[in-house]
């Protein structure tokens, strides 16, 4: 037995969130992802590591890129991947979610990738099944693989996350991407600034060790990374800003505001993008600076690594249920 077999560098059964993971655990996931970046650029992208394994993508919310990315990741490792899209409108949550989990559990999947509109639903489901569970986004809580792919993108461009100033801008209140990124970046020694109108900042967020700004010019000053977020209007019940036009004028990323960041600052966005709402189309397509497409590429590598590590762990006796 080698050291990795006895003391795995990611000793958890699930990947439910970034909160609570150690720097070493995050680094282990990123290092493993790194190897897949090259493989995904080859003509033959296939490996047989997940042969015989079944992965179910259980999506209670719409998704294009995350679902496709997990599907590709599973297939490139030779797993059998099943996609299930469940519309929540017809579902009474709670019991039905557990019923669905129990039904799927009876089919002996190895990994369930779950996206759900309610924060905490994925953890609840993970407590009822025998397989590994990956959180593909739960409400406004966490989206761990997005934060990992963002981190991989940054680490490959900058060599490290340590000491970087990262500005996360826009609809922080509704964003699971922001929450997972705050945990990951803080844990890895980056400095996080949040920039948004007061209505789109979760109350008490300073407790997470971030600096809050309500002005793009100030918040972006000398930062290394500019991470834009989609205005998640489908989650807004009520009025959070006067109009999209005004929002773009104050908080939309254009070249004038970007001039406050470092000259080589990277521009990121998890997608889907609303051009002209949170980001100017030209800035988004400025491939000298925008790494938005690279983020999508890194997503497949990260998900391959997560599937590999979690299925390895399934064969180990004791794991912590994180
Ligand atoms: C994000 C999500 O679903 O949380 N998208 C994604 O996974 N790429 C962000 C968003 O929907 O704005």
């Amino acid at each position: 037995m080698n050291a990795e077999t006895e003391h795995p560098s990611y000793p958890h059964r699930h990947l439910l969130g970034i909160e609570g993971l150690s720097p070493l655990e995050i680094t282990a996931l990123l290092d493993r992802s790194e190897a897949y970046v090259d493989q995904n650029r080859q003509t033959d992208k296939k490996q047989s590591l997940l042969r015989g394994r079944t992965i179910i993508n259980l999506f209670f919310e719409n998704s294009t890129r995350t679902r496709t990315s997990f599907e590709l990741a599973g297939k490139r490792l030779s797993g059998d991947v099943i996609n299930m899209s469940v519309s929540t409108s017809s579902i009474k949550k709670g019991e039905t979610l557990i019923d669905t989990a129990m039904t799927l559990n009876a089919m002996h999947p190895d990994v369930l990738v779950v996206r759900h509109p309610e924060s905490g639903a994925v953890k609840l489901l993970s407590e009822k099944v025998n397989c590994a569970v990956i959180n593909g986004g739960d409400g406004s809580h966490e989206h761990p693989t997005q934060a990992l792919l963002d981190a991989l993108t940054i680490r490959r461009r900058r060599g490290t996350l340590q000491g970087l100033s990262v500005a996360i801008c826009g609809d922080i209140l509704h964003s699971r991407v922001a929450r997972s990124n705050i945990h990951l970046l803080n844990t890895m020694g980056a400095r996080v600034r949040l920039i948004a109108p007061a209505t789109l900042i979760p109350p008490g967020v300073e407790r997470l060790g971030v600096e809050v700004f309500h002005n793009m010019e100030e918040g972006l000053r000398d930062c290394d990374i500019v991470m834009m977020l989609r205005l998640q209007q489908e989650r807004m019940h009520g009025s959070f800003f006067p109009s999209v036009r005004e929002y773009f004028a104050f908080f939309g990323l254009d070249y004038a505001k970007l001039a406050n960041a470092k000259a080589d600052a990277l521009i990121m966005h998890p997608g889907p993008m609303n051009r002209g709402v949170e980001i100017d189309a030209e800035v988004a397509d400025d491939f000298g600076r925008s790494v938005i497409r690279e983020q999508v590429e890194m997503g497949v590598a990260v998900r391959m690594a997560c599937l590999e590590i979690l299925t390895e762990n399934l064969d180990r006796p004791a794991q912590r249920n994180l």
Side-chain angles (χ1 to χ4, degrees), residues 129-162:
V129 295
N130 305 112
C131 60
V133 175
I134 300 180
N135 182 0
D138 65 324
S140 52
H141 176 229
E142 281 237 35
H143 190 354
T145 56
Q146 179 70 42
L148 288 164
L149 76 86
D150 290 337
L152 185 64
T153 309
I154 299 172
R155 204 180 75 162
R156 285 171 58 88
R157 287 285 185 144
R158 290 287 178 267
T160 180
L161 297 163
Q162 176 82 37

Side-chain angles (χ1 to χ4, degrees), residues 5 13 27-28 47 59 62 74 88 94 114 116-117 124 129 136 154-155 190 198 205 213-214 295 308 310 315-316:
T5 320
R13 183 173 184 85
T27 304
Q47 279 198 14
F59 278 59
N62 288 341
T88 30
V114 188
H116 198 282
L124 182 69
V129 295
I154 299 172
R155 204 180 75 162
V205 77
F213 296 86
H214 301 302
Q295 288 173 269
E308 185 197 353
L310 292 183
D315 301 330
R316 295 197 171 96

Side-chain angles (χ1 to χ4, degrees), residues 112-287:
L112 276 177
V113 180
V114 188
R115 172 170 283 197
H116 198 282
E118 301 292 330
S119 303
V122 180
K123 181 168 190 329
L124 182 69
L125 187 144
S126 75
E127 289 160 3
K128 311 286 175 195
V129 295
N130 305 112
C131 60
V133 175
I134 300 180
N135 182 0
D138 65 324
S140 52
H141 176 229
E142 281 237 35
H143 190 354
T145 56
Q146 179 70 42
L148 288 164
L149 76 86
D150 290 337
L152 185 64
T153 309
I154 299 172
R155 204 180 75 162
R156 285 171 58 88
R157 287 285 185 144
R158 290 287 178 267
T160 180
L161 297 163
Q162 176 82 37
L164 295 178
S165 272
V166 183
I168 306 181
C169 322
D171 186 358
I172 317 280
L173 182 66
H174 300 100
S175 179
R176 51 200 176 205
V177 175
R179 237 161 295 262
S180 289
N181 263 304
I182 292 169
H183 291 305
L184 190 147
L185 293 163
N186 274 339
T187 306
M188 299 306 284
R191 287 190 306 273
V192 180
R193 309 172 188 177
L194 304 181
I195 318 175
T199 48
L200 292 176
I201 293 275
V205 77
E206 289 88 349
R207 275 185 284 117
L208 298 179
V210 294
E211 260 188 288
V212 174
F213 296 86
H214 301 302
N215 173 299
M216 287 285 271
E217 284 73 16
E218 275 173 42
L220 290 178
R221 198 153 297 145
D222 293 325
C223 73
D224 299 281
I225 312 287
V226 185
M227 202 179 269
M228 299 307 298
L229 297 174
R230 183 174 67 89
L231 207 47
Q232 301 195 25
Q233 301 204 55
E234 78 280 12
R235 295 190 201 276
M236 294 181 192
H237 307 288
S239 174
F240 288 82
F241 51 90
S243 69
V244 164
R245 239 180 97 169
E246 192 157 328
Y247 181 83
F248 182 74
F250 285 96
F251 293 97
L253 186 67
D254 54 18
Y255 280 113
K257 297 188 193 83
L258 184 61
N260 294 282
K262 283 195 181 150
D264 62 350
L266 300 178
I267 301 159
M268 305 180 75
H269 193 303
M273 259 189 294
N274 290 317
R275 290 165 183 267
V277 177
E278 67 263 355
I279 189 163
D280 175 71
E282 247 186 277
V283 174
D285 294 334
D286 181 344
F287 292 113

